[in-house]
Amino acid sequence: MKKIYDVVVIGSGVAGQTAASGLAFAGKNVAIVENDLWGGTCANRGCDPKKILFSVVEAHNKSLHLIGKGIEEAPIINWSQLIAFKNTFTDPVPEQSKKRLKASGIDVYNATAEFIDAKNIKVQDHILEAAQFVIATGARPALINIEGKEHFLTSDDFLSLPNMPDKLTFIGGGYIAFEFAAIANAAGAQVDVIHHNSRPLKAYDQELVSALMSQLEAKGVIFHLDTNITLIEKVGQQFKLTDDKGFELTTDLVFATTGRLANTEKLKLENADVTYDKKGIIVNDYLQTSNPAIYALGDVLSKKQPKLTPVSSLEASYLVSLLTNKNDCPIAYPKIPTNVFSSPKLAQVGVTVLEAENSKDKYEVSTIDASNWFNYLRVNEPVSKVNIIIDKDSGLLAGASCLNNEADQLINFFTFFINKEIKAAELADAVFAYPTIASDLTYFYT
């Protein structure tokens, strides 16, 4: 059976849902196709459930910091209760997402989409023709190609673990490894993190990364750097990890946290003359692929911008305005903050310390130890470091990075200052509630 639409969206995550709903609201005849969980990664098995688990870790760590300061002992995390709580958020997502799309007048298809040619896709027994297609199929966990890779679990599995094992291991040194290490450690597991080189979290200021590692190590997390695992063997109920230099480690579970792969291989993009590389689909400044009738957005893209939910939302909103003739300009990305929800949190935005040090004639770097400031002393926080990068010519904030348990809030303020070009003098005139994280801003940016 063949059906004809104005637009067919492939993928129902944040990018796909936002694009499909916006186009349908504008009067387009829209269909959406999903071959996995309706609602996509973020809501089902990504940032949202991760943050639910982390909320308990935050409470646990705050209690740890205040032992002997009014709290006698830290609470014990009940993992099964925590997962049950998380499930109250994630279980309804697929059906609710599907219902919202249907309520918007969008036709929904549960199937894998395959391009037949530039104007048609095959969806089970249906052929869907459209004037335009939007690809928003997202990404999935990557697995390194080593002997025994079938024993790997992924972030999807971690977020649904029914029980926390005594010992688990993460292979990879990116933000997922650091976040899950903090969660598992707080939940009582022995945690090992293995990374193939000496620079985990390589996109971040390495001084702050080292400080973060020291804090995690103090809690019991063990890091194995410059270790390249080549074999995973099942030994009884455990797994033995080895490299080619004599390293051995036995663990209850082993997780691959080595990045994510764009979901492109099932689409048969070559049939539609859509160009892609190992990082994802290639688009121009209008989110248009090599086929002018096909657009792509979100984590399936090959792009330099961070693959984050807010970025996907921005791209979807832009695309709706473009395809409804409300905008004919190329997409403009603001400065985008990134966060590592570990213990403590690590965040940065804009020009990095390394970039600033390589352009000393243009930027000035201030490194601030705020651990003795009231807002950190009152919760007995062990570390609070902030780097501020100022553009010498304009005097404006150009970048910032921070390591403390308020980093996710601080970086949002710094991002606003950068994107809105707020001057230090303007901030000095602002009055914030005291004592709060916001009331410290004028001390950072002067």
Side-chain angles (χ1 to χ4, degrees):
M1 180 184 297
K2 186 167 187 176
K3 293 190 176 183
I4 300 175
Y5 296 94
D6 295 326
V7 183
V8 172
V9 177
I10 307 172
S12 72
V14 168
Q17 282 195 68
T18 303
S21 298
L23 292 168
F25 182 78
K28 299 280 189 179
N29 182 20
V30 180
I32 188 167
V33 185
E34 174 60 63
N35 69 351
D36 196 2
L37 293 175
W38 289 90
T41 295
C42 181
N44 284 290
R45 51 195 178 202
C47 39
D48 287 356
K50 174 195 71 181
K51 197 64 186 291
I52 293 166
L53 300 185
F54 189 70
S55 64
V56 173
V57 175
E58 287 180 297
H60 177 267
N61 288 340
K62 286 182 178 180
S63 297
L64 276 179
H65 296 159
L66 292 170
I67 289 177
K69 304 291 190 295
I71 290 180
E72 293 188 357
E73 58 182 308
I76 297 173
I77 294 177
N78 185 312
W79 184 259
S80 61
Q81 287 183 5
L82 178 54
I83 290 296
F85 179 54
K86 183 271 299 183
N87 289 342
T88 64
F89 290 86
T90 56
D91 286 353
V93 168
E95 190 59 31
Q96 288 177 352
S97 299
K98 194 173 180 180
K99 283 183 177 179
R100 280 196 298 268
L101 290 163
K102 287 182 175 180
S104 298
I106 299 167
D107 287 350
V108 300
Y109 294 87
N110 288 91
T112 296
E114 298 178 355
F115 278 97
I116 299 171
D117 55 36
K119 292 186 177 181
N120 295 274
I121 61 171
K122 181 181 179 181
V123 179
Q124 291 180 333
D125 296 330
H126 299 281
I127 302 298
L128 308 186
E129 180 185 327
Q132 295 166 322
F133 288 91
V134 176
I135 302 172
T137 47
R140 67 187 186 282
L143 301 180
I144 54 175
N145 188 24
I146 62 174
E147 187 176 352
K149 67 179 181 180
E150 67 272 12
H151 299 306
F152 272 128
L153 297 178
T154 69
S155 57
D156 297 354
D157 300 303
F158 181 84
L159 293 170
S160 297
L161 274 180
N163 301 291
M164 180 59 65
D166 293 331
K167 187 174 184 180
L168 48 74
T169 301
F170 300 101
I171 296 182
Y175 73 94
I176 296 175
F178 275 75
E179 292 176 343
F180 287 179
I183 293 170
N185 170 260
Q190 168 60 55
V191 178
D192 291 86
V193 177
I194 301 174
H195 189 52
H196 69 280
N197 63 32
S198 60
R199 289 195 61 188
L201 294 174
K202 64 181 179 180
Y204 289 83
D205 172 37
Q206 289 301 292
E207 183 179 345
L208 295 188
V209 172
S210 295
L212 170 56
M213 291 173 64
S214 295
Q215 291 298 309
L216 288 170
E217 287 170 335
K219 294 179 172 74
V221 176
I222 300 173
F223 289 91
H224 309 273
L225 303 183
D226 294 311
T227 303
N228 193 24
I229 297 299
T230 56
L231 174 64
I232 305 173
E233 297 175 277
K234 188 168 176 49
V235 180
Q237 297 301 309
Q238 293 186 304
F239 300 92
K240 186 169 81 170
L241 315 178
T242 56
D243 68 0
D244 55 6
K245 297 180 180 179
F247 174 86
E248 289 188 6
L249 177 70
T250 300
T251 187
D252 294 327
L253 296 176
V254 55
F255 292 85
T257 52
T258 49
R260 296 178 69 80
L261 295 174
N263 290 323
T264 57
E265 69 284 347
K266 294 181 181 180
L267 294 169
K268 296 188 177 179
L269 295 173
E270 59 278 4
N271 292 340
D273 296 322
V274 172
T275 303
Y276 61 97
D277 59 22
K278 63 181 181 179
K279 294 183 179 179
I281 296 174
I282 298 169
V283 295
N284 62 18
D285 291 339
Y286 297 86
L287 301 180
Q288 193 173 40
T289 72
S290 51
N291 183 326
I294 300 175
Y295 297 79
L297 67 167
D299 290 0
V300 76
L301 294 185
S302 177
K303 60 182 178 181
K304 62 182 180 180
Q305 290 79 18
K307 293 187 176 184
L308 302 170
T309 297
V311 181
S312 296
S313 296
L314 172 72
E315 291 167 349
S317 296
Y318 164 79
L319 191 57
V320 169
S321 68
L322 183 73
L323 297 184
T324 55
N325 299 315
K326 294 180 180 178
N327 187 0
D328 59 1
C329 298
I331 187 169
Y333 291 95
K335 296 299 182 183
I336 299 166
T338 58
N339 288 279
V340 181
F341 289 99
S342 190
S343 182
K345 299 166 191 168
L346 174 63
Q348 72 179 26
V349 66
V351 176
T352 67
V353 170
L354 181 60
E355 290 170 336
E357 289 178 343
N358 289 334
S359 301
K360 291 184 178 180
D361 57 331
K362 186 174 182 180
Y363 300 109
E364 179 181 349
V365 179
S366 297
T367 299
I368 301 165
D369 184 349
S371 56
N372 63 346
W373 293 15
F374 177 73
N375 275 317
Y376 303 96
L377 285 174
R378 66 182 175 82
V379 292
N380 202 33
E381 192 163 336
V383 61
S384 180
K385 297 178 180 291
V386 179
N387 292 314
I388 298 295
I389 295 95
I390 301 295
D391 183 290
K392 289 183 178 180
D393 291 338
S394 66
L396 295 172
L397 185 66
S401 55
C402 39
L403 178 73
N404 53 45
N405 284 320
E406 304 294 340
D408 53 338
Q409 302 299 328
L410 274 175
I411 210 67
N412 282 333
F413 285 118
F414 293 143
T415 301
F416 181 79
F417 297 160
I418 293 172
N419 287 325
K420 296 300 181 182
E421 299 185 346
I422 303 295
K423 297 180 180 178
E426 295 175 299
L427 183 61
D429 292 334
V431 177
F432 297 99
Y434 177 88
T436 62
I437 297 304
S439 65
D440 285 340
L441 291 172
T442 53
Y443 303 121
F444 288 121
Y445 183 25
T446 57

